Amino acid sequence: MGRFAIDLPEDFKLEIQSNRFRRVEIEEYPNLKDAEQKWKSRLSEIEKLKKPEGVKKIIIKEQPIERLGKWARGVLYYSDSFADDECAWEFLVSYGRGAVLFSLKGGLLEKENFMYGRVLEVSKAYSPRPFLNQPANHPFYTEHGVIELPYKRQESTYARFAGPMEMKLEIDMSETHEVEKVGILESLAAALATNFVPGVDVEKIRGHKRTVAGLKGEELVTRITADMGPKLYFGWKYNGKEDSGEHPEIRISIQQAPDGNLDEKIKIWDAALDSFRPAYKR
């Protein structure tokens, strides 16, 4: 996912993954049998959106996109019901056995050619799995494909896995323009000092600096007891470097896990963090 990889036990199942690359949102349909119908359905959804005042038709234009996938269609439409100068470009690209929707929203209509070029750049660099060749040049992995472009701006990945013992592991990575000076350990200390939630007891099980994938971050494992009983929290955070795809801000966590089986859960947690690694060549 994104520019990193992780190994998890087989009984962890991916529940959701979302990706944004150079502001372009990527929605994948790996088993879509009728991409033409999906495109008609998407146009119908757009046509039902509320139009800005004075605009008669929400779709500005629709057109085929040449030399992209098996076939591709694009649509430009008004994206803000309160503004007649904001728009969105969307491409649906069919790959035969599946399709991908690439969306860039919230741009100015006068910049629509630039927006079109951005979506075209990202969609042309995308390849669905299985790959014909192993990605080698600046890979950014989505759930079902890869984009081979270096970091430029605004990319992020979020994934959530459901595992045993009601554990839900979340990974959130995004570029940062201003590196936070405070880590999770200092944040917890400040919260405890101010009695942040009266009646809530926090027991620190583990809290220290921990290097993961060569990145110097901080780890925190706590037991939090409130009205609903004790819950376990596991967290690791790396603050990242400014405007970097290889050093984004990274948060890995298991939140609100039921208390109990602590040793087993810590073993799973440690193995997951130890497996986390770059998916690119350093």
Side-chain angles (χ1 to χ4, degrees):
M1 58 206 136
R3 301 193 187 275
F4 292 83
I6 194 169
D7 296 329
L8 296 174
E10 194 172 335
D11 44 2
F12 272 86
K13 305 300 180 186
L14 180 64
E15 289 189 324
I16 186 173
Q17 181 173 335
S18 59
N19 306 280
R20 182 186 58 162
F21 189 90
R22 299 187 183 182
R23 286 189 58 214
V24 176
E25 296 175 13
I26 300 152
E27 193 170 342
E28 297 166 297
Y29 307 94
N31 301 310
L32 187 66
K33 295 180 180 178
D34 192 344
E36 292 276 7
Q37 182 55 46
K38 177 65 181 177
W39 181 240
K40 291 176 183 177
S41 174
R42 181 59 191 143
L43 292 179
S44 179
E45 292 172 1
I46 292 171
E47 287 172 346
K48 292 175 183 176
L49 297 174
K50 186 177 179 181
K51 297 185 290 290
E53 187 175 348
V55 170
K56 294 182 179 180
K57 191 175 180 182
I58 195 162
I59 290 179
I60 302 167
K61 60 182 172 182
E62 179 198 347
Q63 65 187 60
I65 312 297
E66 303 296 335
R67 297 184 295 280
L68 190 56
K70 186 177 180 181
W71 61 259
R73 305 283 189 274
V75 61
L76 177 69
Y77 63 93
Y78 292 100
S79 60
D80 189 333
S81 61
F82 296 101
D84 63 2
D85 61 348
E86 288 197 15
C87 64
W89 261 113
E90 292 190 6
F91 290 7
L92 183 73
V93 184
S94 171
Y95 295 96
R97 292 190 297 179
V100 181
L101 184 69
F102 299 91
S103 307
L104 180 55
K105 302 173 182 177
L108 292 175
L109 186 56
E110 64 182 27
K111 301 286 187 180
E112 63 99 349
N113 287 333
F114 173 81
M115 293 171 62
Y116 177 93
R118 175 70 57 77
V119 182
L120 186 64
E121 176 186 49
V122 173
S123 56
K124 279 191 171 183
Y126 175 93
S127 298
R129 302 184 192 185
F131 310 123
L132 295 176
N133 299 300
Q134 184 63 27
N137 298 317
H138 313 288
F140 179 96
Y141 290 90
T142 62
E143 184 179 351
H144 300 285
V146 66
I147 299 167
E148 291 195 70
L149 286 174
Y151 171 82
K152 198 171 185 179
R153 64 178 67 81
Q154 292 177 306
E155 62 181 47
S156 61
T157 294
Y158 170 80
R160 184 178 70 236
F161 300 85
M165 298 176 287
E166 298 182 59
M167 301 170 73
K168 295 218 174 186
L169 187 141
E170 296 179 276
I171 301 174
D172 196 349
M173 301 180 283
S174 62
E175 90 291 342
T176 180
H177 304 299
E178 185 175 346
V179 178
E180 290 186 15
K181 303 299 183 184
V182 178
I184 55 175
L185 299 178
E186 191 174 339
S187 295
L188 176 65
L192 292 176
T194 58
N195 192 21
F196 66 114
V197 180
V200 174
D201 180 58
V202 179
E203 175 191 353
K204 186 169 75 172
I205 297 169
R206 183 191 284 181
H208 57 188
K209 295 185 184 297
R210 181 167 180 175
T211 298
V212 173
L215 308 174
K216 296 180 180 179
E218 292 184 344
E219 178 193 23
L220 180 65
V221 180
T222 61
R223 179 181 285 110
I224 301 176
T225 304
D227 294 340
M228 301 300 290
K231 298 285 186 180
L232 296 172
Y233 166 84
F234 301 77
W236 179 82
K237 182 185 176 186
Y238 171 66
N239 286 341
K241 295 182 180 179
E242 291 182 7
D243 300 311
S244 172
E246 296 183 355
H247 294 86
E249 181 179 289
I250 304 172
R251 297 173 186 266
I252 303 176
S253 64
I254 298 173
Q255 302 187 46
Q256 297 292 311
D259 195 16
N261 305 105
L262 178 61
D263 290 343
E264 190 175 354
K265 288 174 180 173
I266 283 182
K267 189 178 295 185
I268 292 173
W269 169 252
D270 283 340
L273 287 189
D274 288 343
S275 76
F276 189 71
R277 60 198 183 277
Y280 53 87
K281 292 181 180 179
R282 282 179 163 171

